[in-house]
Amino acid sequence: FMKLANALSQRSELQTRIRQLEVRLNNNAQVQEGEQPAEDPMELLKELDADYARLEELISAINRTNNSTRAGDGTALSDLLARRDCLKGKLSILRGFLNSAIKVKSTVNVRQLQKQVDSLSKDLRELEETIQEKNWTTELL
């Protein structure tokens, strides 16, 4: 049995490997007349197919696991992940906006907005802790 955290790590490694295979394929797509490519593109394409097949299996298993795993309050892990992604996006925009607002004459109450950023940051931190705990204790389905 594999823990969810291990599957997530393998997914990340495969995604990195696939990006590297893309670069290697592009580097070997063309050669000068009479030369050979440094690597056989057909072998690289076979590796790419195998890596994508494994990645699809992992993503499917991770998604099934995230949909069936519940946090202490009964919320699905997949819902917590969606909330985390949205919190991260909102925080990124608010932080950028605050940095711009502070530099010149502000159009908003910076102190009030900073309190909101601090509160969202705390929510994100707590959510990350819940998600990490589930990643390390949940068996992959």
Side-chain angles (χ1 to χ4, degrees):
F1 291 102
M2 181 187 303
K3 294 287 185 198
L4 181 55
N6 295 65
L8 294 169
S9 176
Q10 282 186 24
R11 179 187 66 184
S12 177
E13 289 171 14
L14 270 170
Q15 289 168 328
T16 298
R17 182 173 154 72
I18 286 168
R19 284 191 302 274
Q20 292 168 344
L21 276 169
E22 179 184 14
V23 170
R24 290 165 60 197
L25 273 164
N26 289 333
N27 288 343
N28 289 281
Q30 296 179 334
V31 291
Q32 295 292 327
E33 185 81 29
E35 291 185 15
Q36 294 295 317
E39 295 183 89
D40 181 356
M42 297 311 293
E43 287 299 316
L44 294 175
L45 287 169
K46 285 180 191 173
E47 288 180 42
L48 187 68
D49 284 344
D51 286 351
Y52 266 118
R54 178 65 182 138
L55 182 61
E56 183 177 339
E57 290 171 5
L58 277 172
I59 290 172
S60 293
I62 289 165
N63 288 346
R64 281 192 305 275
T65 303
N66 287 344
N67 283 329
S68 65
T69 300
R70 304 287 169 195
D73 65 357
T75 306
L77 185 54
S78 56
D79 294 340
L80 295 179
L81 294 168
R83 186 179 310 152
R84 178 189 67 183
D85 291 347
C86 290
L87 272 174
K88 281 182 174 181
K90 186 174 182 179
L91 274 168
S92 175
I93 290 170
L94 287 175
R95 285 179 178 140
F97 177 69
L98 272 175
N99 284 339
S100 296
I102 290 169
K103 291 178 183 171
V104 221
K105 185 177 185 317
S106 178
T107 60
V108 295
N109 182 330
V110 172
R111 180 180 295 133
Q112 182 181 352
L113 207 50
Q114 185 61 54
K115 284 183 181 180
Q116 183 182 358
V117 167
D118 293 344
S119 175
L120 288 172
S121 295
K122 179 179 178 271
D123 291 348
L124 179 60
R125 194 171 45 257
E126 290 170 354
L127 187 56
E128 290 281 10
E129 290 169 4
T130 300
I131 290 169
Q132 286 303 317
E133 187 268 331
K134 289 296 176 190
N135 286 348
W136 286 104
T137 58
T138 303
E139 295 289 337
L140 194 64
L141 299 179

